Amino acid sequence: MSSPLLEIKNLSTDFTTEAGKIAAISDVTFMLNRGETIGIVGESGSGKSVTALSIMRLLAKTATISSGEINFYNQENRAINLLSLPEEEMRKYRGNELAMIFQEPMTSLNPVLSCGKQVAEALILHKKLSKPDARLRTIELFEKVKLPRAEKLFDSYPHQISGGQKQRVMIAMAISCDPAVLIADEPTTALDVTVQASIIELMHQIQEEKKMGLLFITHDLGVVSEIANRVVVMYNGKIVENGTTENIFNNPQHPYTKALLACRPPLHKKLYRLPTITDFMKENSDGSFTEIKKSVEESLTNFEIDKEEISKHHHQLFAQEPILQVKNLCTWFPVRNGLFGKTTDHIKAVNDVSFDVYPGETLGLVGESGCGKTTLGRSIIRLIEPTSGQVIFKKKDFSTLEGRELRRMRKHIQIIFQDPYSSLNPRMAVGKAIMEPMQVHNLYDNDEHRRNKVIELMERVSLNERQFNRLPHEFSGGQRQRICIARAIAMQPEFIICDESVSALDVSIQAQVLNLLNELKRDFNFTYIFISHDMSVVKFMSDRMIVMNNGKIEEIGDPEEIYTSPKSEYTKRLIDAIPGGVSSFQL
């Protein structure tokens, strides 16, 4: 690994805005060697993706590389400064020598071209292959990245395949021209843990086989522990720590690195609160920070719950009458032969599911995409009409209610959706979006009273009155999720279904939102069904946990017992796929 491949020296990139120039990255310096994997870690806005796009020279027109060098070492070990190349010459390196897998495969793939044609296009352009040869090579690449039915998939369009399959198409495209450097920008974000594990294993195999240099960008240190030789930690556009993976995990020096390590829910402890960045460092008004002296392990220990306390809490919970009873619930979707054809089969998304939920409980629902967990959540609240079965809420059969009575009952059961941006009206100010359900259900005397209540709720979820008239696009992902939480609790519900409500958030923002949900639960005595594909998050949040697979319950019980002694092979597979992260190192 001593042979240099890519050298980044004092790289700075600025963005021109109405307010003037903003430094996106400043003085970034590191070296990637042949056959080496470097993990670049940090939150959204830390400069990870801007660094990658600067290397590829794919920045927006508003961005300028103001200083630095990007030296690529060719086969003769001669350094070529990519920043000095004209655009036409740079195109020969892009794709051939340097390739990139983008964060969101659905937006990176052309929706009107088949998956195969998009990969073949790169081969025709860079490798000068004929169309038949490019097709054969593309099918070989699809097989290499373990895509099923490679020949059929060549003619499939992006919307016809799963998220994990789309990501594999992007990997096939990136490696099609045998690049020396592969940049993977958040290639596993929001994927199931099992799919994530298979993508990481695949990339590791390809990198080993082709002796590529790999830059793996992520906000999740757990993922980095599985794949990287070295770790570069970025914060506010600068590198704050750089070292071997083992040293970074076992002996982190910077408070920001310590915070990132501690933010992810641990599997070996039960906490009542997750550590956040403010537990390790305090940002000052001038952009500097003050370190709060703490180790990762000390921080985790401070929030640990005693086992006797957990036992006492569970005894109190389950001594009550259930608030919700789901009995033999089925939600089947018909498979039709043609647009107006007969029903030939059914997709059994939820198939004979039964369980109880107790007042004040958080019941976790975990499983891969397609297991039926989201359909189950929506069937309970009748956003999707169940095929059969019963949902009894506070001794009323929710499944038989109609019209006004159904709307009145829905006031007591709210849902927080996975994507906060698509849950909000882009043209409606967020304060009005929170107030709207109050108006629909005639809560409070008048709009002035409602507005005061909205401001109170916004402050409760760490927003403020000045943001009342702002539109959703003016907020970050974490802030938008807080807006959706405020909107859900505006109805004073007793029961909330959280559907993948933190899956796409940075680990530090995720920790803040999870802590907020638990604080609200304690303050307002909410009952939750918490849906996620991430078992570590579900384990942290839940009093009990349901594992779902193929529309059925695999097992249900205490999260700690399921994690330490899983009964089904499916659950074991989910647990084995969890990135090692903190628990795999000697903290």
Side-chain angles (χ1 to χ4, degrees):
M1 283 192 193
S2 58
S3 175
L5 181 58
L6 191 69
E7 181 187 28
I8 316 299
K9 286 176 72 175
N10 309 114
L11 184 68
S12 297
T13 299
D14 301 330
F15 279 81
T16 303
T17 69
E18 291 178 0
K21 282 194 174 180
I22 294 173
I25 56 172
S26 303
D27 203 29
V28 169
T29 300
F30 63 90
M31 175 80 83
L32 175 69
N33 295 310
R34 293 185 191 278
E36 182 182 35
T37 300
I38 291 179
I40 303 181
V41 181
E43 299 171 284
S44 295
S46 64
K48 313 183 298 294
S49 293
V50 174
T51 301
L53 292 169
S54 298
I55 293 168
M56 296 293 291
R57 286 180 51 185
L58 288 172
L59 291 160
K61 289 180 181 177
T62 53
T64 310
I65 296 173
S66 53
S67 64
E69 293 178 24
I70 301 170
N71 293 317
F72 172 73
Y73 289 81
N74 63 15
Q75 291 295 332
E76 293 77 42
N77 217 28
R78 185 170 66 88
I80 296 140
N81 185 0
L82 299 177
L83 296 182
S84 66
L85 298 177
E87 177 56 30
E88 193 175 330
E89 190 70 18
M90 182 63 195
R91 282 197 202 106
K92 295 175 185 176
Y93 284 88
R94 214 184 279 128
N96 263 332
E97 300 291 358
L98 300 102
M100 187 166 175
I101 302 165
F102 295 95
Q103 181 170 357
E104 178 44 66
M106 191 63 207
T107 54
S108 305
L109 292 169
N110 188 330
V112 299
L113 278 182
S114 73
C115 296
K117 279 186 180 177
Q118 295 186 59
V119 178
E121 189 177 42
L123 291 164
I124 293 165
L125 178 68
H126 290 289
K127 293 296 184 183
K128 310 301 179 189
L129 297 185
S130 65
K131 284 186 179 180
D133 287 345
R135 180 186 175 91
L136 288 172
R137 178 64 182 139
T138 300
I139 290 167
E140 283 175 23
L141 286 164
F142 282 176
E143 288 169 349
K144 188 174 195 64
V145 298
K146 298 181 174 61
L147 279 165
R149 304 178 304 282
E151 283 199 46
K152 186 179 177 184
L153 201 132
F154 185 97
D155 298 311
S156 298
Y157 289 86
H159 72 274
Q160 295 175 308
I161 60 176
S162 71
Q165 287 173 334
K166 282 194 276 278
Q167 199 59 280
R168 287 169 189 268
V169 170
M170 288 295 297
I171 294 169
M173 191 185 297
I175 66 169
S176 61
C177 298
D178 297 320
V181 176
L182 179 61
I183 302 170
D185 187 5
E186 300 273 13
T188 60
T189 299
L191 294 179
D192 295 332
V193 284
T194 48
V195 178
Q196 176 178 268
S198 66
I199 295 286
I200 290 169
E201 185 185 356
L202 170 65
M203 295 190 69
H204 190 65
Q205 284 172 359
I206 291 167
Q207 190 247 1
E208 285 276 305
E209 182 187 318
K210 296 183 178 290
K211 301 300 177 193
M212 292 187 304
L214 176 61
L215 288 180
F216 193 97
I217 297 169
T218 182
H219 63 257
D220 191 339
L221 274 163
V223 172
V224 164
S225 72
E226 301 281 311
I227 196 168
N229 307 109
R230 285 194 296 124
V231 179
V232 169
V233 182
M234 293 190 72
Y235 173 68
N236 277 356
K238 294 180 180 178
I239 292 175
V240 296
E241 195 156 357
N242 184 354
T244 67
T245 305
E246 189 172 357
N247 283 344
I248 293 287
F249 276 78
N250 287 336
N251 191 26
Q253 297 301 304
H254 197 277
Y256 181 69
T257 311
K258 293 175 187 177
L260 286 182
L261 283 164
C263 281
R264 182 152 179 82
L267 290 162
H268 59 297
K269 292 178 185 287
K270 179 69 174 175
L271 308 182
Y272 66 86
R273 177 184 177 275
L274 288 171
T276 61
I277 286 170
T278 53
D279 292 306
F280 294 89
M281 56 190 281
K282 182 185 175 184
E283 288 194 62
N284 303 319
S285 56
D286 62 356
S288 64
F289 66 88
T290 305
E291 181 176 359
I292 300 166
K293 292 287 183 184
K294 245 181 207 179
S295 70
V296 176
E297 190 59 34
E298 178 194 353
S299 180
L300 294 175
T301 303
N302 286 347
F303 300 129
E304 193 169 1
I305 307 176
D306 183 75
K307 285 186 178 178
E308 286 185 18
E309 212 176 310
I310 296 170
S311 179
K312 183 181 174 184
H313 172 66
H314 283 180
H315 181 75
Q316 290 171 342
L317 270 183
F318 305 131
Q320 307 171 87
E321 286 285 315
I323 189 172
L324 183 85
Q325 295 172 288
V326 176
K327 297 182 177 182
N328 309 109
L329 195 67
C330 293
T331 304
W332 295 3
F333 298 107
V335 177
R336 300 185 194 281
N337 186 11
L339 187 61
F340 301 106
K342 291 182 179 179
T343 300
T344 55
D345 201 355
H346 285 89
I347 295 169
K348 299 177 181 180
V350 177
N351 195 18
D352 197 26
V353 168
S354 298
F355 59 87
D356 295 339
V357 188
Y358 295 86
E361 180 185 16
T362 298
L363 179 67
L365 201 53
V366 70
E368 297 171 287
S369 294
C371 72
K373 55 189 191 298
T374 290
T375 303
L376 174 57
R378 294 184 181 203
S379 298
I380 288 169
I381 202 169
R382 283 182 60 194
L383 291 178
I384 296 173
E385 285 294 338
T387 307
S388 62
Q390 286 182 295
V391 176
I392 313 292
F393 178 69
K394 296 185 75 174
K395 298 186 178 177
K396 279 194 175 182
D397 191 343
F398 203 77
S399 51
T400 62
L401 300 179
E402 297 294 339
R404 189 177 296 176
E405 200 177 0
L406 175 61
R407 283 195 297 276
R408 206 165 32 235
M409 188 59 79
R410 274 204 182 126
K411 173 187 164 187
H412 302 288
I413 304 182
Q414 289 292 302
I415 186 164
I416 302 167
F417 295 101
Q418 179 173 356
D419 180 0
Y421 190 66
S422 62
S423 308
L424 296 165
N425 184 335
R427 294 177 179 158
M428 184 182 282
V430 299
K432 289 183 179 177
I434 297 168
M435 190 194 293
E436 187 182 42
M438 296 179 182
Q439 293 169 324
V440 169
H441 288 275
N442 291 317
L443 284 182
Y444 310 110
D445 303 327
N446 51 51
D447 278 352
E448 187 182 348
H449 191 179
R450 291 179 191 115
R451 182 188 167 89
N452 291 336
K453 192 66 184 174
V454 169
I455 291 164
E456 186 184 312
L457 287 169
M458 288 179 75
E459 288 171 351
R460 186 67 189 80
V461 297
S462 302
L463 298 168
N464 58 62
E465 183 178 357
R466 295 190 307 277
Q467 296 166 317
F468 185 98
N469 289 314
R470 290 187 190 172
L471 296 171
H473 74 269
E474 298 178 79
F475 294 86
S476 69
Q479 286 174 320
R480 284 197 285 262
Q481 199 57 280
R482 290 169 184 273
I483 292 161
C484 289
I485 290 169
R487 195 171 196 261
I489 66 175
M491 300 306 301
Q492 303 171 354
E494 295 171 69
F495 198 106
I496 299 176
I497 297 168
C498 305
D499 184 10
E500 295 277 15
S501 50
V502 296
S503 63
L505 300 179
D506 291 333
V507 283
S508 55
I509 305 299
Q510 176 181 276
Q512 293 171 24
V513 172
L514 293 176
N515 288 341
L516 172 64
L517 288 169
N518 276 337
E519 285 167 20
L520 294 171
K521 178 185 167 183
R522 284 192 291 269
D523 292 350
F524 297 103
N525 198 32
F526 291 142
T527 304
Y528 291 143
I529 286 182
F530 190 89
I531 300 169
S532 178
H533 63 259
D534 189 332
M535 186 170 275
S536 58
V537 169
V538 172
K539 184 175 178 290
F540 164 71
M541 288 294 290
S542 306
D543 298 298
R544 280 185 308 146
M545 182 161 72
I546 289 175
V547 180
M548 276 193 80
N549 182 27
N550 288 333
K552 289 180 173 287
I553 293 175
E554 284 277 336
E555 50 188 302
I556 181 169
D558 179 80
E560 189 64 37
E561 285 178 19
I562 288 175
Y563 176 69
T564 53
S565 305
K567 293 183 176 66
S568 81
E569 286 302 316
Y570 176 77
T571 309
K572 287 175 189 173
R573 200 166 77 245
L574 282 182
I575 292 166
D576 290 342
I578 298 169
V582 179
S583 59
S584 63
F585 288 84
Q586 303 164 2
L587 288 174

